[in-house]
């Protein structure tokens, strides 16, 4: 796990705030900020890179105003979603017509693609301690309208998934040496799961949809849904996404379940006497939703074997022609001879 710690203590007092502004512009997202301590801005940052996400623990005196303007967004937008946890201090943030003010333990979401305005001030005179998580917005299994409605809204860290998420962020930034490089992908996946669960508690209050919002549980739920709806001719990726309140394609399922469902659709019915009676039922393909798009019988060299790639359907040898091949006669070039003898005299009619 890659960890970096930077501090302004080794710099001259007059250069500390300029260094902090440039450093946050490069490590986080570009913003415009002001402070009440421009002459002596004692600040430090510890950044933990988890691969899928980045967690930063920051200590600074105060930020009287921080803004992300449309001009800065046009200059460059990484399309990040950021979660701010205020360990100590008071913060205010306004984005997407929402405004949140909170103190110690408050959490708030904001998006790098939308302008925002806010400030961060100390609550007890000892500065501000903030933990910031940033990750690509596409990694969260939530609809864009749900995230937009939740931007700049105070999230609770006193119970539920929010409390677990806050404890994880605090422990991760205080003791990063307890984890090795091989732990970064696992920690990133757990962090995304907890963040998705925290968002799910605020945007989805329906009790009959518990864990379908999270990738691993979502995949198992979609797999079961497909298996129970194989007989539906209208079973399409759009229908699956609509049934799970997601945008197609919302998940990346491995190829094994797809191949299994494909073989299940093409599986012929058992022979007579080996299974239950199926009199009056349509063929196996139509029973499982497959339409008749090909002739009932194909040549042996063209028959489809379930699980065989399409490029291997074609035969490796040419089939013999039904009749003798007819060749178009080609014009033969005749040799032209030239003679140096004078042509015979032309005689006219004698009379």
């Amino acid at each position: 796990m890659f960890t970096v710690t930077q501090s302004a203590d080794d710099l001259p007092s007059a250069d500390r705030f300029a260094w902090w502004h440039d450093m946050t512009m490069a490590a986080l997202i570009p913003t415009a900020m002001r402070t009440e301590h421009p002459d002596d801005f004692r600040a430090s940052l510890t950044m933990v890179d988890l691969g899928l996400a980045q967690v930063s623990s920051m200590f600074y005196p105060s930020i009287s105003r921080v803004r992300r303007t449309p001009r800065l967004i046009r200059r460059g937008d990484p399309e990040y979603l950021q979660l701010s946890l205020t360990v100590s201090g008071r913060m205010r943030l306004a984005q997407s017509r929402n405004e949140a003010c909170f103190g110690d333990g408050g959490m708030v979401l904001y998006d790098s693609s939308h302008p925002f305005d806010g400030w961060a001030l100390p609550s007890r005179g000892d500065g501000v301690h903030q933990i910031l998580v940033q990750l690509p917005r596409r990694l969260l299994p939530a609809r864009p309208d749900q995230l937009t409605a939740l931007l700049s809204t105070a999230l609770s860290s006193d119970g539920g998934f929010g409390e677990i998420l806050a404890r994880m962020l605090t422990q991760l930034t205080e003791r990063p040496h307890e984890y090795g490089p091989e732990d970064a992908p696992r920690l990133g996946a757990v962090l995304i799961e907890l963040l998705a669960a925290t968002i799910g508690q605020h945007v989805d209050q329906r009790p009959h949809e518990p864990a379908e919002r999270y990738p691993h549980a979502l995949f198992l739920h979609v797999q079961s849904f497909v298996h129970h709806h194989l007989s539906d001719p209208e079973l399409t990726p759009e229908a699956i996404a609509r049934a799970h309140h997601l945008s197609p394609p919302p998940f990346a399922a491995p190829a094994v379940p797809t191949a299994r469902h494909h073989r299940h659709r093409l599986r012929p019915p058992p022979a007579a006497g080996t299974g239950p009676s199926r009199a009056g039922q349509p063929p196996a393909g139509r029973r499982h939703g497959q339409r008749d798009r090909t002739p009932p019988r194909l040549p042996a060299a063209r028959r489809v074997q379930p699980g065989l790639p399409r490029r291997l359907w074609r035969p490796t040898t040419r089939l013999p022609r039904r009749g003798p091949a007819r060749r178009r006669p080609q014009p033969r070039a005749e040799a032209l001879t030239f003679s140096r003898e004078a042509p015979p005299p032309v005689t006219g009619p004698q009379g």
Side-chain angles (χ1 to χ4, degrees):
M1 187 168 55
F2 185 68
T3 305
V4 176
T5 300
Q6 299 183 5
S7 176
D9 294 341
D10 299 333
L11 297 175
S13 300
D15 299 336
R16 290 174 180 175
F17 180 70
W19 168 84
W20 177 263
H21 182 266
D22 295 341
M23 187 269 301
T24 55
M25 289 268 291
L28 303 176
I29 58 175
T31 56
M33 63 179 67
R34 296 199 306 262
T35 182
E36 298 175 353
H37 306 79
D39 298 332
D40 189 9
F41 193 85
R42 295 181 177 271
S44 63
L45 177 142
T46 300
M47 184 179 63
V48 181
D49 190 2
L50 301 179
L52 297 176
Q54 177 181 306
V55 183
S56 303
S57 177
M58 299 180 289
F59 294 87
Y60 50 87
S62 67
I63 298 293
S64 58
R65 189 175 186 185
V66 57
R67 294 183 303 156
R68 180 159 172 83
T69 61
R71 181 179 180 182
L72 292 175
I73 296 175
R74 290 192 299 267
R75 184 184 302 177
D77 180 22
E79 297 184 355
Y80 281 163
L81 189 69
Q82 295 187 311
L83 172 73
S84 175
L85 169 63
T86 305
V87 182
S88 63
R90 297 180 296 114
M91 297 190 68
R92 171 196 169 271
L93 187 69
Q95 187 180 46
S96 297
R97 300 181 180 180
N98 296 330
E99 183 176 356
C101 295
F102 45 90
D104 297 354
M107 292 193 304
V108 66
L109 278 174
Y110 54 99
D111 197 331
S112 67
S113 301
H114 300 276
F116 62 79
D117 192 346
W119 48 256
L121 301 176
S123 58
R124 293 182 298 269
D126 53 353
V128 179
H129 181 195
Q130 177 188 7
I131 298 178
L132 186 64
V133 180
Q134 63 179 15
L135 71 162
R137 188 172 55 243
R138 55 181 174 80
L139 295 181
L140 290 178
R143 298 199 304 267
D145 58 332
Q146 293 176 335
L147 290 178
T148 303
L150 201 62
L151 295 179
S152 190
T153 302
L155 308 178
S156 174
S157 62
D158 295 335
F161 288 108
E163 182 178 2
I164 303 175
L165 177 60
R167 289 182 179 180
M168 176 188 176
L169 295 176
T170 303
Q171 179 184 359
L172 181 62
T173 54
E174 288 180 352
R175 302 195 297 270
H177 58 276
E178 296 181 359
Y179 307 97
E182 65 279 358
D183 297 325
R186 290 190 289 267
L187 289 172
V190 172
L191 176 60
I192 293 175
E193 291 281 354
L194 287 177
L195 181 56
T198 304
I199 294 176
Q201 285 187 329
H202 291 79
V203 301
D204 196 357
Q205 302 298 332
R206 290 166 289 183
H208 60 277
E209 291 187 7
E212 294 91 11
R213 297 289 180 184
Y214 319 131
H216 302 296
L218 173 64
F219 169 69
L220 297 177
H221 187 75
V222 168
Q223 186 178 4
S224 176
F225 178 84
V226 171
H227 180 74
H228 286 87
H229 292 80
L230 284 176
S231 59
D232 187 3
E234 303 300 329
L235 184 63
T236 60
E238 290 76 12
I240 298 173
R242 188 165 52 251
H244 295 83
H245 309 285
L246 296 169
S247 301
F251 49 83
V256 176
T258 304
R260 185 179 69 235
H261 294 149
H262 182 64
R263 289 194 298 269
H264 186 69
R265 278 193 171 190
L266 297 180
R267 186 182 303 159
T274 61
S277 175
R278 298 191 179 186
Q281 293 188 12
R286 278 178 292 173
R287 185 174 64 255
H288 291 294
Q290 187 179 16
R291 297 180 178 87
D292 293 332
R293 298 179 179 178
T294 56
R297 293 292 297 174
L298 296 174
R302 295 281 182 171
R303 290 176 187 171
V304 178
Q305 180 181 355
L308 193 65
R310 190 181 185 90
R311 58 185 175 81
L312 299 180
W313 291 359
R314 297 183 178 181
T316 56
T317 58
R318 288 184 176 273
L319 298 178
R321 300 188 178 185
R322 296 184 179 180
R326 297 182 179 181
R327 295 184 178 180
R328 180 180 298 179
Q330 300 291 336
R332 300 176 60 183
E334 298 181 357
L336 299 179
T337 57
F338 299 91
S339 176
R340 296 184 178 180
E341 298 180 357
V346 177
T347 57
Q350 297 179 1

